[in-house]
Amino acid sequence: MNRINNFNPGPAALPLEVLEQAQKEFANYRELGMSVMEMSHRSKEVERLGEETVQLLAELLELPAEYRVLFMGGGASMQFALVPLNFLKPGKVGHYILSGSFSEKAYLEAQTIGKAAILASSKDNGWRKLPVIDEPLGTDSAFVHMTTNNTIEGSQFRSLPDTGKVPLIGDMTSDMMSRKIDFTRFSMFYAAAQKNLGPAGVTVAVIHEELLKECAEHIPTIFNYNTYVQHQSLYNTPPVFSIYLMKLVLEWTERQGGITQLEKQNSEKAKLLYDVIDASGGYYKGIVEKPFRSMMNITWRMLDEELEKRFVQEAVINGFEGLGGHRSVGGLRASAYNAVPVPACKELADFMADFQQRNG
Amino acid sequence: MNRINNFNPGPAALPLEVLEQAQKEFANYRELGMSVMEMSHRSKEVERLGEETVQLLAELLELPAEYRVLFMGGGASMQFALVPLNFLKPGKVGHYILSGSFSEKAYLEAQTIGKAAILASSKDNGWRKLPVIDEPLGTDSAFVHMTTNNTIEGSQFRSLPDTGKVPLIGDMTSDMMSRKIDFTRFSMFYAAAQKNLGPAGVTVAVIHEELLKECAEHIPTIFNYNTYVQHQSLYNTPPVFSIYLMKLVLEWTERQGGITQLEKQNSEKAKLLYDVIDASGGYYKGIVEKPFRSMMNITWRMLDEELEKRFVQEAVINGFEGLGGHRSVGGLRASAYNAVPVPACKELADFMADFQQRNG
C-alpha cells in the first residue's frame, strides 16, 4: 500500500497500526460473529469498551479522580453551545479569550444563549500573537473559555491563564493528548476526536465534579452534562465505532510511551518544519510570531498565491496531502498531529528546502 | 467466519456485503493512500460522498425536490430537543402522539423547551394498542409529533394521521427505509441510522422547505436546522465514516430492489415469527394487539421470567443474539431490520417451535 504523507488538519492521520487492527476485526469483533457496530450499546462488551476507554484516557492524562470523562456526539461546535447552556446563568457573564477563529465562534455562539464578553483578544493582530489577560475577573464571571491550540492560525498557548476561582474551560480539540499540561487548572476541557484521538463523530468532555454541580437544571435532558455523567455516556446510543477506534488510538498512544514521548516527537516534528521556514531567508514566512507557534499546526505564507498554489500542487504529486491553508486565511499549513510520523515531517522539510532551491 | 443471527434492536445487523466492502478499503479508500476517516471533510471526495448519499437516499425514498436531507450527530434523542427548539414558538403548542416509550421521551423533552400537550396516548393500554386521534387540532398547534414504529414495545403505525395544515413530524428511527410510506405527508421526519441505515453516530433529518422557513432565529447556530441546510451538513465536521457506511448500506438497499423489495422481505420475516407465536396456543404471547404489530420489532412474553431467561440463554447457545426484551418492559424481542436475512428469521421460528416442544 502506497500510504500518503497525511498533513490534514482534521479529520487527520490515524496510526496505521490502528487502522490495520480495526480492519482485521472489522466484520467479526473478538470472534463474536458480528462487527462492533452491530452490537447493542447495552451489551457487556460495549459497556466494557466504554469503561476501558474512559480509564485509559484518564491514565494517559493523569486525571485526578474528581474529573468525569464523557463521550458525546456533535463535535466541538456543539460544545460551544452546551458550555453556556449549562454554565452561563442569568446575571453572570461568560468570559472568552479570543485567540483564533474557533475561539471567536465559541464566543459568538455563547451570545445566542446569555451574556458573553471578550476577556482578551489578538484579533487586531491578525491572530499572529496570543492575547494577554490584563483585566482582573469580576465576581460576575461564570467561566473563562479558551482555545488551547488554534488549528486554523497555528498558535498554541504554552501556559494557562490564572483565573483564580473562576472556572477555566478549555477547547483542546487540536492538542489534547499531544503534550503534558496541568489539566487540574481546568474545571472542564473538551476535544472533538478527529485530531489526536480518533475519527470524527465523538467528542470527549472532561468535567470536574465541582463544576458539574453548577449545571443548569431546566435545560433539555440531552444537553445537560449530568445526564451523561449519570448514565456513563449511555443515556442514548453513543457513536460506538468512534469510541472503539478512540480506544485503539489510546492503546497506541500508550505503546508509544504516552504523552511524554509523543510530546518529544511532536516537538521534533514541528522543529523540522519551523527550521526550514526560519532558514529560508523569508521565502517561507511563518504566520504566527515565534513565541506563540503551535506544535500541531505549522502555518506559513509564500511570496504570492500563485507560488503557494504551485507548492500545494507539487506537494500532492510528491505524496503530501492536506497542505493548503484554511480557506479563511489562505497560505500553507502542515498539521502534524500525534499520528503523523517523524519521517513524514522530515520528508516534507526536505521537499520544502528542495522546492525553494528550484523555485527560489 | 461464524456469523451470528443478529436480532439486536439497534445498533443492529448490517449487511455482510457492506461490512466486507468497507473492510477491504478500510485503510486505503479508493487507492488514495489513506482511510476515508483520515480525509478532510472539505475534500472533493468527502463532499461528493455526502452529495451522493443525499441523492441516493432521496431516490430510494422517492422524495420530492422540496425536501432537504440533513446529516447530524447526536441521535434521535437530540432531535427530541431540536424539534421544539426550532419549531415550538411561544404561544404555540407542540402536540405529541404517545404510542410508546420513545414518543413519551420526545414529549417530556419538549416540555423543557415550551408548551407541549398529549394529542392521543395508548399508555393506559400498556402500549399494546396504538392511540386514535379524536380531537381536532386547534390553530395554536405548532406541529404534531409521532413515532412511526415503537422499537421497545413492537408496534407500528400502518397509516399516518391527518393533521390538516399542521406540520406532521415523524420519528422514523426504527422503520425508515423498511417500507413504502407517503413521505409527503410529513413536514419533517428523522431517523438515527443504527437500525436500517448504518452504524450509530449519524442521524438523517428530512425537512420540507416550507417548515424550514419556520425555524426559530434566536437559537444557537449549531441547533438551527437551517445551518445544516445552508452548509450542506458541513457547517462543522460531520461523522464522515458513519455517512460513508450509510452510503454503502443505501447502495446495498438499491441492489436488493429498493424499499418495495425489502418491504416484501420484512413482511415475510415478521410473518414467520408471528405465525409461530399465533400457533403456539398461548405459549408465546404477543405483547402488541394484532392490528398494531410491527414488522421491525416482534415482541412477546412467555409464562414467567424464568422461562424467558432460559429461552434467551438457549437462543444464545444456538447462535441467536439480542432477543432479550428492553429492560423497561422485559419479555422477548426479535428486531428484524432490513439487514436481517430471511433465513435468520426462519431459523429463529424453527428454534421457537422446537423450544416449545421441548419445554412446553
PDB file of all heavy atoms in Angstrom, chain A residues 54 58-59 61-69 184 206-210 212 229:
ATOM      1  N   VAL A  54     -12.547   5.164  28.957  1.00  0.00           N
ATOM      2  CA  VAL A  54     -12.506   6.226  29.977  1.00  0.00           C
ATOM      3  C   VAL A  54     -11.264   6.061  30.853  1.00  0.00           C
ATOM      4  O   VAL A  54     -10.527   7.022  31.104  1.00  0.00           O
ATOM      5  CB  VAL A  54     -13.773   6.191  30.861  1.00  0.00           C
ATOM      6  CG1 VAL A  54     -13.588   7.035  32.122  1.00  0.00           C
ATOM      7  CG2 VAL A  54     -14.988   6.670  30.079  1.00  0.00           C
ATOM      8  N   ALA A  58      -8.086   8.592  31.188  1.00  0.00           N
ATOM      9  CA  ALA A  58      -7.773   9.204  32.489  1.00  0.00           C
ATOM     10  C   ALA A  58      -6.325   8.909  32.892  1.00  0.00           C
ATOM     11  O   ALA A  58      -5.628   9.777  33.421  1.00  0.00           O
ATOM     12  CB  ALA A  58      -8.749   8.696  33.543  1.00  0.00           C
ATOM     13  N   GLU A  59      -5.876   7.694  32.627  1.00  0.00           N
ATOM     14  CA  GLU A  59      -4.490   7.330  32.957  1.00  0.00           C
ATOM     15  C   GLU A  59      -3.488   8.128  32.125  1.00  0.00           C
ATOM     16  O   GLU A  59      -2.518   8.665  32.658  1.00  0.00           O
ATOM     17  CB  GLU A  59      -4.266   5.831  32.706  1.00  0.00           C
ATOM     18  CG  GLU A  59      -4.781   4.946  33.831  1.00  0.00           C
ATOM     19  CD  GLU A  59      -4.781   3.469  33.426  1.00  0.00           C
ATOM     20  OE1 GLU A  59      -4.062   3.101  32.484  1.00  0.00           O
ATOM     21  OE2 GLU A  59      -5.537   2.708  34.059  1.00  0.00           O
ATOM     22  N   LEU A  61      -3.862  10.965  30.700  1.00  0.00           N
ATOM     23  CA  LEU A  61      -3.883  12.388  31.050  1.00  0.00           C
ATOM     24  C   LEU A  61      -3.509  12.621  32.519  1.00  0.00           C
ATOM     25  O   LEU A  61      -3.394  13.756  32.948  1.00  0.00           O
ATOM     26  CB  LEU A  61      -5.267  12.995  30.785  1.00  0.00           C
ATOM     27  CG  LEU A  61      -5.808  12.977  29.352  1.00  0.00           C
ATOM     28  CD1 LEU A  61      -7.205  13.588  29.305  1.00  0.00           C
ATOM     29  CD2 LEU A  61      -4.883  13.735  28.402  1.00  0.00           C
ATOM     30  N   GLU A  62      -3.351  11.529  33.260  1.00  0.00           N
ATOM     31  CA  GLU A  62      -3.096  11.602  34.707  1.00  0.00           C
ATOM     32  C   GLU A  62      -4.152  12.454  35.417  1.00  0.00           C
ATOM     33  O   GLU A  62      -3.847  13.364  36.193  1.00  0.00           O
ATOM     34  CB  GLU A  62      -1.687  12.146  34.976  1.00  0.00           C
ATOM     35  CG  GLU A  62      -0.605  11.229  34.404  1.00  0.00           C
ATOM     36  CD  GLU A  62       0.803  11.809  34.564  1.00  0.00           C
ATOM     37  OE1 GLU A  62       1.000  12.668  35.445  1.00  0.00           O
ATOM     38  OE2 GLU A  62       1.705  11.378  33.821  1.00  0.00           O
ATOM     39  N   LEU A  63      -5.382  12.149  35.145  1.00  0.00           N
ATOM     40  CA  LEU A  63      -6.504  12.900  35.721  1.00  0.00           C
ATOM     41  C   LEU A  63      -6.767  12.487  37.158  1.00  0.00           C
ATOM     42  O   LEU A  63      -6.860  11.290  37.447  1.00  0.00           O
ATOM     43  CB  LEU A  63      -7.783  12.617  34.931  1.00  0.00           C
ATOM     44  CG  LEU A  63      -7.999  13.289  33.593  1.00  0.00           C
ATOM     45  CD1 LEU A  63      -9.366  12.873  33.059  1.00  0.00           C
ATOM     46  CD2 LEU A  63      -7.914  14.796  33.713  1.00  0.00           C
ATOM     47  N   PRO A  64      -6.932  13.444  38.057  1.00  0.00           N
ATOM     48  CA  PRO A  64      -7.388  13.098  39.408  1.00  0.00           C
ATOM     49  C   PRO A  64      -8.818  12.539  39.369  1.00  0.00           C
ATOM     50  O   PRO A  64      -9.545  12.747  38.399  1.00  0.00           O
ATOM     51  CB  PRO A  64      -7.362  14.444  40.145  1.00  0.00           C
ATOM     52  CG  PRO A  64      -6.474  15.316  39.337  1.00  0.00           C
ATOM     53  CD  PRO A  64      -6.627  14.870  37.922  1.00  0.00           C
ATOM     54  N   ALA A  65      -9.197  11.868  40.427  1.00  0.00           N
ATOM     55  CA  ALA A  65     -10.480  11.159  40.472  1.00  0.00           C
ATOM     56  C   ALA A  65     -11.697  12.078  40.415  1.00  0.00           C
ATOM     57  O   ALA A  65     -12.812  11.626  40.161  1.00  0.00           O
ATOM     58  CB  ALA A  65     -10.549  10.294  41.729  1.00  0.00           C
ATOM     59  N   GLU A  66     -11.493  13.370  40.642  1.00  0.00           N
ATOM     60  CA  GLU A  66     -12.638  14.293  40.685  1.00  0.00           C
ATOM     61  C   GLU A  66     -13.150  14.683  39.298  1.00  0.00           C
ATOM     62  O   GLU A  66     -14.099  15.456  39.189  1.00  0.00           O
ATOM     63  CB  GLU A  66     -12.277  15.573  41.444  1.00  0.00           C
ATOM     64  CG  GLU A  66     -11.959  15.381  42.909  1.00  0.00           C
ATOM     65  CD  GLU A  66     -10.574  14.796  43.132  1.00  0.00           C
ATOM     66  OE1 GLU A  66      -9.679  15.034  42.283  1.00  0.00           O
ATOM     67  OE2 GLU A  66     -10.401  14.076  44.130  1.00  0.00           O
ATOM     68  N   TYR A  67     -12.509  14.189  38.267  1.00  0.00           N
ATOM     69  CA  TYR A  67     -12.952  14.521  36.911  1.00  0.00           C
ATOM     70  C   TYR A  67     -13.789  13.390  36.328  1.00  0.00           C
ATOM     71  O   TYR A  67     -13.501  12.226  36.553  1.00  0.00           O
ATOM     72  CB  TYR A  67     -11.750  14.785  35.992  1.00  0.00           C
ATOM     73  CG  TYR A  67     -11.051  16.096  36.279  1.00  0.00           C
ATOM     74  CD1 TYR A  67     -10.050  16.172  37.241  1.00  0.00           C
ATOM     75  CD2 TYR A  67     -11.409  17.255  35.595  1.00  0.00           C
ATOM     76  CE1 TYR A  67      -9.409  17.377  37.517  1.00  0.00           C
ATOM     77  CE2 TYR A  67     -10.774  18.456  35.864  1.00  0.00           C
ATOM     78  CZ  TYR A  67      -9.778  18.512  36.816  1.00  0.00           C
ATOM     79  OH  TYR A  67      -9.151  19.707  37.082  1.00  0.00           O
ATOM     80  N   ARG A  68     -14.834  13.776  35.586  1.00  0.00           N
ATOM     81  CA  ARG A  68     -15.653  12.791  34.875  1.00  0.00           C
ATOM     82  C   ARG A  68     -15.348  12.902  33.382  1.00  0.00           C
ATOM     83  O   ARG A  68     -15.262  14.020  32.851  1.00  0.00           O
ATOM     84  CB  ARG A  68     -17.142  13.067  35.095  1.00  0.00           C
ATOM     85  CG  ARG A  68     -17.598  13.039  36.530  1.00  0.00           C
ATOM     86  CD  ARG A  68     -17.624  11.641  37.134  1.00  0.00           C
ATOM     87  NE  ARG A  68     -17.713  11.723  38.589  1.00  0.00           N
ATOM     88  CZ  ARG A  68     -16.666  11.779  39.409  1.00  0.00           C
ATOM     89  NH1 ARG A  68     -15.432  11.728  38.930  1.00  0.00           N
ATOM     90  NH2 ARG A  68     -16.814  11.882  40.703  1.00  0.00           N
ATOM     91  N   VAL A  69     -15.212  11.769  32.748  1.00  0.00           N
ATOM     92  CA  VAL A  69     -14.921  11.730  31.310  1.00  0.00           C
ATOM     93  C   VAL A  69     -16.195  11.319  30.567  1.00  0.00           C
ATOM     94  O   VAL A  69     -16.750  10.253  30.837  1.00  0.00           O
ATOM     95  CB  VAL A  69     -13.787  10.726  30.998  1.00  0.00           C
ATOM     96  CG1 VAL A  69     -13.541  10.645  29.489  1.00  0.00           C
ATOM     97  CG2 VAL A  69     -12.501  11.117  31.727  1.00  0.00           C
ATOM     98  N   THR A 184      -5.356  19.939  35.813  1.00  0.00           N
ATOM     99  CA  THR A 184      -6.108  20.325  37.014  1.00  0.00           C
ATOM    100  C   THR A 184      -6.380  21.830  37.043  1.00  0.00           C
ATOM    101  O   THR A 184      -7.169  22.298  37.851  1.00  0.00           O
ATOM    102  CB  THR A 184      -5.364  19.917  38.300  1.00  0.00           C
ATOM    103  OG1 THR A 184      -4.136  20.646  38.376  1.00  0.00           O
ATOM    104  CG2 THR A 184      -5.084  18.423  38.314  1.00  0.00           C
ATOM    105  N   VAL A 206     -14.296  16.497  29.576  1.00  0.00           N
ATOM    106  CA  VAL A 206     -13.782  16.136  30.900  1.00  0.00           C
ATOM    107  C   VAL A 206     -14.170  17.260  31.859  1.00  0.00           C
ATOM    108  O   VAL A 206     -13.799  18.413  31.649  1.00  0.00           O
ATOM    109  CB  VAL A 206     -12.251  15.952  30.864  1.00  0.00           C
ATOM    110  CG1 VAL A 206     -11.728  15.562  32.236  1.00  0.00           C
ATOM    111  CG2 VAL A 206     -11.849  14.915  29.819  1.00  0.00           C
ATOM    112  N   ILE A 207     -14.948  16.926  32.877  1.00  0.00           N
ATOM    113  CA  ILE A 207     -15.515  17.974  33.741  1.00  0.00           C
ATOM    114  C   ILE A 207     -15.268  17.636  35.209  1.00  0.00           C
ATOM    115  O   ILE A 207     -15.472  16.492  35.638  1.00  0.00           O
ATOM    116  CB  ILE A 207     -17.036  18.138  33.483  1.00  0.00           C
ATOM    117  CG1 ILE A 207     -17.334  18.172  31.973  1.00  0.00           C
ATOM    118  CG2 ILE A 207     -17.569  19.387  34.172  1.00  0.00           C
ATOM    119  CD1 ILE A 207     -18.795  18.363  31.626  1.00  0.00           C
ATOM    120  N   HIS A 208     -14.839  18.634  35.955  1.00  0.00           N
ATOM    121  CA  HIS A 208     -14.615  18.459  37.392  1.00  0.00           C
ATOM    122  C   HIS A 208     -15.963  18.373  38.104  1.00  0.00           C
ATOM    123  O   HIS A 208     -16.913  19.064  37.756  1.00  0.00           O
ATOM    124  CB  HIS A 208     -13.811  19.647  37.931  1.00  0.00           C
ATOM    125  CG  HIS A 208     -13.252  19.419  39.301  1.00  0.00           C
ATOM    126  ND1 HIS A 208     -14.020  19.538  40.448  1.00  0.00           N
ATOM    127  CD2 HIS A 208     -12.008  19.052  39.707  1.00  0.00           C
ATOM    128  CE1 HIS A 208     -13.262  19.264  41.504  1.00  0.00           C
ATOM    129  NE2 HIS A 208     -12.034  18.967  41.088  1.00  0.00           N
ATOM    130  N   GLU A 209     -16.031  17.530  39.121  1.00  0.00           N
ATOM    131  CA  GLU A 209     -17.321  17.311  39.788  1.00  0.00           C
ATOM    132  C   GLU A 209     -17.874  18.585  40.443  1.00  0.00           C
ATOM    133  O   GLU A 209     -19.088  18.738  40.567  1.00  0.00           O
ATOM    134  CB  GLU A 209     -17.219  16.154  40.797  1.00  0.00           C
ATOM    135  CG  GLU A 209     -16.179  16.331  41.866  1.00  0.00           C
ATOM    136  CD  GLU A 209     -15.985  15.061  42.721  1.00  0.00           C
ATOM    137  OE1 GLU A 209     -16.338  13.966  42.263  1.00  0.00           O
ATOM    138  OE2 GLU A 209     -15.475  15.199  43.846  1.00  0.00           O
ATOM    139  N   GLU A 210     -16.996  19.502  40.819  1.00  0.00           N
ATOM    140  CA  GLU A 210     -17.487  20.763  41.397  1.00  0.00           C
ATOM    141  C   GLU A 210     -18.245  21.584  40.356  1.00  0.00           C
ATOM    142  O   GLU A 210     -19.284  22.173  40.656  1.00  0.00           O
ATOM    143  CB  GLU A 210     -16.318  21.588  41.951  1.00  0.00           C
ATOM    144  CG  GLU A 210     -15.773  21.102  43.280  1.00  0.00           C
ATOM    145  CD  GLU A 210     -16.846  21.015  44.373  1.00  0.00           C
ATOM    146  OE1 GLU A 210     -17.645  21.966  44.511  1.00  0.00           O
ATOM    147  OE2 GLU A 210     -16.896  19.962  45.045  1.00  0.00           O
ATOM    148  N   LEU A 212     -19.751  20.350  37.759  1.00  0.00           N
ATOM    149  CA  LEU A 212     -20.975  19.621  37.406  1.00  0.00           C
ATOM    150  C   LEU A 212     -22.148  20.024  38.297  1.00  0.00           C
ATOM    151  O   LEU A 212     -23.301  19.981  37.878  1.00  0.00           O
ATOM    152  CB  LEU A 212     -20.737  18.106  37.491  1.00  0.00           C
ATOM    153  CG  LEU A 212     -19.995  17.505  36.293  1.00  0.00           C
ATOM    154  CD1 LEU A 212     -19.531  16.095  36.603  1.00  0.00           C
ATOM    155  CD2 LEU A 212     -20.875  17.516  35.045  1.00  0.00           C
ATOM    156  N   VAL A 229     -23.149  12.042  32.756  1.00  0.00           N
ATOM    157  CA  VAL A 229     -22.460  11.522  33.941  1.00  0.00           C
ATOM    158  C   VAL A 229     -23.285  10.397  34.556  1.00  0.00           C
ATOM    159  O   VAL A 229     -22.782   9.300  34.828  1.00  0.00           O
ATOM    160  CB  VAL A 229     -22.251  12.644  34.990  1.00  0.00           C
ATOM    161  CG1 VAL A 229     -21.665  12.062  36.269  1.00  0.00           C
ATOM    162  CG2 VAL A 229     -21.347  13.736  34.433  1.00  0.00           C
TER     163      VAL A 229
END
